[in-house]
Amino acid sequence: CRNDLVALVTSDDHKVISLVMNVIPNVYSLSPRYPTSCCSIAEIMSVLFFNTMKYRAEDPKNINNDRFILSKGHSAPALYSMWTETGFLKESELLSLCQVESILEGHPTPKQQFADVVTGSLGQGLGVACGMAYTGKYFDKSSYHVFCLLGDGELSEGAVWEAMSFASYYQLDNLVAILDINRLGQTDPAPLQHHVEKYQKRCEAFGWHSIIVDGHSVEELCKALSQARHQPTAIIAKTTKGKGIPAVEDKMGWHAKPLSKDMAEGVVKDLQARIMNSSKRLYPTTPIEDAPPVSLRNVRMPSAPAYKQGEKISTRKAYGMALAKLGRYNERVVVLDGDTNNLTYSEIFKNEHPNRFVECYIAQQNMVSVATGCAARERNVVYASTLASFFTRAYDQLRMAAISESNINLCGSHCGLSIGEDGPSQMGLEDMAMFRAIPMATIFYPSDGVSIEKAVELAASTKGVCYIRTSHPENPIIYSSNEDFHVGQAKVVYQSAEDKVTVIGAGITLHEAMAAAEMLKKERIFIRVIDPFTIKPLDSKTIIEHTRQTRGRILTVEDHYYEGGLGEAVCSAVVNEQGFTLQRLAVAHVPRSGKTSELLKIYGIDREAICQAVRKMLSGSANAK
Ligand SMILES: Cc1ncc(C[n+]2csc(CCOP(=O)(O)OP(=O)(O)O)c2C)c(N)n1
Ligand SMILES: *[C@@H]1O[C@H](CO)[C@@H](O)[C@H](O)[C@H]1NC(C)=O
Ligand SMILES: *[C@@H]1O[C@H](CO)[C@@H](O)[C@H](O)[C@H]1NC(C)=O
């Protein structure tokens, strides 16, 4: 414990809280956000920020700083108070809490330099902290620590325990979780109430060193937080929700509730009387400067793709090869997978760069959070892969990564029913809908080895959440190795002056569309075929331009459910065009097991179905000839 803090503690530890929390009364009186959830962590936050953590308060994003994640993000006023106390925020700013022009929102956001990620969808902070701690220990090999503060209500989230397993498996001895056991959740007590010894057993069973403390004792907190660590450490802090406001302490029914005016005034008066009017300020200890500088600019492929046109490869395999190639020339490319690396082919990267491959096991929610943590503070270019279908269970983590403005790249393999025999539980048939709805996301849906290599390269420098959709079947290389690709730029892969319909397909359905073009040619029906390359953003300009040349006739075909996929993306791109006729082919029912060609046929997205749809569009039209 630092001497200055100890000196303040001896007579009455509330003096310390008063000193370091002396802005809280203003928070209560002006915008009473979650007062009781802030009160239970007053001492914990004070000790972390002014005793335990080493950081440069004037530079919250400094790469050497200890990291802090407030997983119980609704206690944001307590976090903002700390940064006010350090001098980073002005007191006047603090008083603008939650006003529409203020950066101090209801929960931490990336607008705040001191918030690496958004928190508040409970249960996600520890996974992100794991990604940061893994990076600190294995990639940066630096002395910074990662601290994560969780509520006891949030400990019912399974994702917390995925993160607990990950941390002990990888011996993240630079990670400390502080559990605020204040007994209460929102509407009910948390299931284990104040049974701190049960929490301790659970933490120990998950391989964590755990210490029970009185969470309102500054001395006990100082002592526990300064212990040497050989394992991840859980500080199980027994606390009182609403501590310091006698009328609401440990009482149900006060979660997220503002105090009445009278009550608030009384509390403010009482707190003010306890504020030490000392001119002495506390300053955090500065960190050891041993984190390596990193530049993520210019993460590029050193050479063009080495495929020959006509050669066959699946996009999933070409994905793994592209990763390995990118990793060969860029030290900060790291790859995560969830026990599917011989399906997604991230194993090719793993075999070549084992020290930069992170096995996350079958815990996709945690994998996405770890990816977000690894990407924080621009430490790594991160790719995480699993089957497209399994990203659905991590949708909340993906949504939060997007709000956090995290630059993570995700690859979902085995998209659609074209995987065949494994059946519908393994088929990603809603992934495009899911990622299309994510703000600022980019969706790459490449159709051959060349374009997937380009997608992997482009994703490295594309901000926000990038999703790469890969397929199981092998298909021939379409593009020459010097073809240039850009986000939002489609390719016309088949065209003639006599084209009557524009057909848009991607992945396997692009190959089906090209085969259909050959078949229809024999009937002297000509179609134009477009490869969108990215589904979001979609190249509306190219699509509209070419569809005009085919008299407004447009057909989409996709290995995805009708809802939210390629067809609907094209619909919204052409919605304001006069005289366009759009037909869609997609998967209308839950598919079954079978051979790829059988399934494509049964569910009506194969070359034959495309030919039929084209003929039908033309037969119903006076302009057919
Ligand atoms: C995933 C999720 N579910 C529900 C909520 C709504 N919510 C916000 S705070 C809260 C209670 C949290 O209890 P606890 O983790 O014990 O924190 P405390 O406020 O008691 O410190 C709930 C249910 C949420 N923010 N996130
Ligand atoms: C600190 O100053 C405030 C305002 O001047 C006063 O109301 C309060 O009593 C003082 N606190 C202590 C502990 O002296
Ligand atoms: C994946 O690897 C395991 C272990 O080597 C092997 O048993 C399995 O057949 C592989 N699966 C595929 C699809 O290659």
Side-chain angles (χ1 to χ4, degrees):
C1 240
R2 275 167 55 200
N3 290 339
D4 48 357
L5 200 48
V6 172
L8 291 163
V9 176
T10 43
S11 55
D12 171 7
D13 62 6
H14 266 279
K15 285 180 190 163
V16 176
I17 317 162
S18 306
L19 178 73
V20 292
M21 298 293 279
N22 67 12
V23 283
I24 280 275
N26 295 329
V27 176
Y28 291 154
S29 49
L30 275 149
S31 184
R33 305 278 307 171
Y34 300 96
T36 56
S37 304
C38 291
C39 287
S40 64
I41 59 170
E43 292 85 353
I44 296 169
M45 292 291 276
S46 309
V47 170
L48 280 171
F49 276 76
F50 296 100
N51 182 253
T52 309
M53 294 201 298
K54 298 188 174 73
Y55 61 103
R56 294 195 172 275
E58 75 290 356
D59 182 14
K61 281 264 187 286
N62 191 294
I63 57 172
N64 300 297
N65 285 355
D66 283 345
R67 276 56 162 165
F68 175 72
I69 294 185
L70 182 65
S71 191
K72 46 173 269 181
H74 56 284
S75 302
L79 179 70
Y80 305 157
S81 302
M82 290 303 129
W83 285 101
T84 305
E85 206 52 42
T86 66
F88 183 77
L89 290 175
K90 290 195 207 66
E91 225 169 288
S92 59
E93 262 179 295
L94 185 61
L95 304 187
S96 71
L97 178 71
C98 289
Q99 287 171 22
V100 76
E101 73 285 2
S102 173
I103 64 156
L104 302 183
E105 299 196 19
H107 290 76
T109 84
K111 298 189 187 92
Q112 303 146 6
Q113 278 194 56
F114 50 80
D116 286 302
V117 288
V118 172
T119 49
S121 177
L122 295 169
Q124 299 192 25
L126 193 61
V128 177
C130 282
M132 291 174 158
Y134 193 100
T135 295
K137 182 166 175 166
Y138 297 104
F139 301 142
D140 287 342
K141 301 182 171 63
S142 306
S143 29
Y144 63 81
H145 283 69
V146 183
F147 297 87
C148 181
L149 175 51
L150 298 89
D152 50 355
E154 103 172 279
L155 296 180
S156 287
E157 287 284 1
V160 172
W161 301 95
E162 292 182 5
M164 293 291 283
S165 303
F166 181 94
S168 63
Y169 181 76
Y170 288 110
Q171 300 180 329
L172 301 179
D173 50 8
N174 55 350
L175 175 64
V176 179
I178 303 98
L179 313 184
D180 172 27
I181 311 299
N182 65 17
R183 195 179 76 85
L184 301 175
Q186 175 159 320
T187 55
D188 270 308
L192 297 186
Q193 302 236 12
H194 261 147
H195 290 287
V196 284
E197 70 292 343
K198 291 188 181 163
Y199 284 109
Q200 185 172 41
K201 275 192 188 142
R202 288 187 185 184
C203 291
E204 283 172 355
F206 274 79
W208 285 54
H209 176 53
S210 66
I211 310 166
I212 294 171
V213 299
D214 170 354
H216 297 297
S217 159
V218 171
E219 273 179 306
E220 281 189 36
L221 285 165
C222 284
K223 222 172 96 193
L225 280 161
S226 63
Q227 279 191 14
R229 299 175 268 265
H230 309 287
Q231 276 166 280
T233 299
I235 309 290
I236 299 162
K238 187 172 179 181
T239 60
T240 304
K241 195 153 173 170
K243 174 79 174 177
I245 312 176
V248 305
E249 275 186 13
D250 199 33
K251 292 226 165 57
M252 300 263 291
W254 282 97
H255 181 83
K257 226 176 237 162
L259 305 178
S260 70
K261 194 162 176 281
D262 280 359
M263 261 174 110
E265 275 167 5
V267 172
V268 169
K269 221 167 129 197
D270 180 45
L271 284 168
Q272 259 163 357
R274 287 198 268 139
I275 291 173
M276 289 241 314
N277 296 316
S278 145
S279 57
K280 194 170 174 185
R281 278 191 82 102
L282 292 174
Y283 295 98
T285 316
T286 53
I288 301 166
E289 311 216 332
D290 59 0
V294 160
S295 170
L296 303 185
R297 275 180 219 126
N298 292 316
V299 176
R300 300 243 163 84
M301 289 290 183
S303 58
Y307 300 105
K308 291 197 178 60
Q309 274 165 290
E311 181 187 343
K312 279 188 153 188
I313 188 167
S314 66
T315 50
R316 62 178 178 133
K317 185 158 190 189
Y319 166 78
M321 291 172 62
L323 281 184
K325 181 172 172 182
L326 192 68
R328 219 170 288 153
Y329 300 91
N330 302 280
E331 277 300 312
R332 299 302 295 215
V333 170
V334 306
V335 172
L336 283 56
D337 202 296
D339 196 24
T340 53
N341 68 56
N342 66 354
L343 302 176
T344 63
Y345 278 110
S346 65
E347 71 171 351
I348 301 172
F349 180 95
K350 178 191 169 184
N351 292 339
E352 202 173 315
H353 315 287
N355 296 335
R356 283 185 276 140
F357 179 84
V358 188
E359 179 53 72
C360 295
Y361 297 99
I362 307 167
Q364 293 80 11
Q365 299 180 22
N366 189 57
M367 179 175 76
V368 171
S369 294
V370 169
T372 302
C374 289
R377 290 195 200 190
E378 300 190 24
R379 293 275 85 199
N380 301 296
V381 174
V382 185
Y383 294 82
S385 46
T386 181
L387 303 206
S389 50
F390 305 143
F391 276 115
T392 53
R393 71 192 297 140
Y395 199 49
D396 194 13
Q397 280 75 6
L398 294 167
R399 184 184 71 86
M400 291 291 280
I403 309 175
S404 299
E405 295 172 16
S406 174
N407 299 320
I408 54 171
N409 307 307
L410 307 158
C411 171
S413 72
H414 293 61
C415 73
L417 54 73
S418 53
I419 68 164
E421 280 87 350
D422 265 343
S425 71
Q426 314 299 299
M427 296 170 175
L429 283 158
E430 51 288 277
D431 53 325
M432 282 201 276
M434 183 167 92
F435 280 97
R436 277 185 67 222
I438 288 181
M440 304 304 293
T442 303
I443 304 177
F444 295 92
Y445 189 2
S447 302
D448 79 342
V450 171
S451 52
I452 195 119
E453 190 169 318
K454 297 291 183 174
V456 166
E457 182 178 30
L458 286 166
S461 55
T462 303
K463 298 270 176 236
V465 171
C466 288
Y467 177 61
I468 303 173
R469 189 174 207 237
T470 65
S471 309
H472 186 270
E474 292 190 340
N475 281 118
I477 300 291
I478 303 169
Y479 298 104
S480 86
S481 58
N482 51 25
E483 183 84 35
D484 209 17
F485 283 85
H486 299 279
V487 170
Q489 196 183 85
K491 300 283 176 191
V492 179
V493 294
Y494 220 94
Q495 78 182 108
S496 78
E498 296 169 75
D499 293 343
K500 296 281 189 293
V501 178
T502 295
V503 178
I504 306 178
I508 189 150
T509 61
L510 181 72
H511 293 272
E512 291 300 314
M514 289 167 76
E518 288 292 337
M519 288 162 69
L520 288 166
K521 206 181 199 169
K522 293 182 187 130
E523 303 167 29
R524 302 215 40 81
I525 297 174
F526 298 93
I527 60 172
R528 192 154 302 186
V529 180
I530 294 182
D531 167 8
F533 182 57
T534 55
I535 307 300
K536 182 181 176 176
L538 189 69
D539 187 354
S540 317
K541 193 166 157 283
T542 299
I543 291 172
I544 290 169
E545 200 179 290
H546 286 271
T547 306
R548 283 208 185 109
Q549 292 173 25
T550 57
R551 306 195 187 195
R553 288 186 212 100
I554 183 166
L555 173 69
T556 64
V557 53
E558 63 196 299
D559 194 359
H560 186 278
Y561 289 133
Y562 271 97
E563 292 78 11
L566 172 64
E568 287 193 350
V570 172
C571 277
S572 26
V574 304
V575 69
N576 290 322
E577 297 304 309
Q578 299 289 320
F580 272 35
T581 321
L582 191 144
Q583 295 290 326
R584 296 185 292 143
L585 298 176
V587 181
H589 305 285
V590 174
R592 46 168 301 112
S593 288
K595 291 204 175 66
T596 300
S597 58
E598 293 170 335
L599 295 179
L600 289 172
K601 190 177 176 63
I602 294 171
Y603 297 93
I605 55 170
D606 68 346
R607 54 197 72 183
E608 200 46 68
I610 296 169
C611 289
Q612 256 179 47
V614 166
R615 288 185 206 111
K616 201 167 154 210
M617 283 177 96
L618 293 177
S619 70
S621 151
N623 295 330
K625 296 262 156 60

